[in-house]
Amino acid sequence: MAKYDSKLDLCFSALGDPTRRVILERLARGPASVSELAAPHDMALPSFMGHLKKLEEAGLVTSEKQGRTRTCALAPDAFAPVDDWLSGQRRIWEGRLDRLDDYVATLMKDRKA
C-alpha cells in the first residue's frame, strides 16, 4: 500500500475547487494583491480569504503583508507533490498498457499460426 501523504491530500483538495483554480491561474502570471484576486469573484471577502487560506495550507500559495496590502504569489515548486504523484501513476499505467499490448500482440500472433 502506498505511503499516506497528507500534503498531497491538501493539494488535491485545494485544486478541487474552481475558484481556487482560477486564483492559481491568475497567480501563474505573477503576484497579485488580495483585492485584485478577489475582484472577479462574486463573494464576500471573508469567503474569498478562506479560499486563499486553503491554498496557503496546501503550500500552493504564499502571501506577505506590506502595510495594508497583502500580496499573494505561487509558492516555489508548488505543484511538485502533485507532479511527482502523477508521474508515478503515469509510469504504472504505461507499464500496464505496454504489457496489455504485448499480450494482445501474442494473441494475434497465436491466432494467425
Side-chain angles (χ1 to χ4, degrees):
M1 184 170 176
K3 182 181 169 190
Y4 177 75
D5 187 352
S6 62
K7 184 73 166 173
L8 186 61
D9 290 345
L10 290 172
C11 285
F12 276 117
S13 178
L15 293 170
D17 183 86
T19 298
R20 291 190 285 269
R21 289 192 303 269
V22 168
I23 294 168
L24 291 171
E25 287 173 15
R26 168 52 193 89
L27 291 175
R29 296 192 313 261
S33 68
V34 170
S35 58
E36 181 184 343
L37 292 171
H41 303 282
D42 186 26
M43 66 177 68
L45 189 57
S47 297
F48 185 80
M49 293 301 291
H51 287 291
L52 289 178
K53 181 180 178 188
K54 185 118 181 179
L55 290 168
E56 283 191 86
E57 289 171 350
L60 299 173
V61 169
T62 61
S63 70
E64 66 177 38
K65 190 169 185 176
Q66 192 171 34
R68 294 177 50 163
T69 304
R70 180 167 295 281
T71 302
C72 299
L74 279 181
D77 299 321
F79 297 100
V82 173
D83 187 44
D84 291 345
W85 185 83
L86 289 172
S87 294
Q89 293 301 307
R90 186 178 302 110
R91 284 190 300 276
I92 290 168
W93 282 100
E94 285 173 350
R96 289 176 179 171
L97 291 171
D98 288 345
R99 289 190 301 277
L100 178 61
D101 187 47
D102 292 344
Y103 177 70
V104 170
T106 301
L107 287 177
M108 296 302 288
K109 186 168 53 171
D110 291 348
R111 182 180 249 183
K112 289 180 180 179

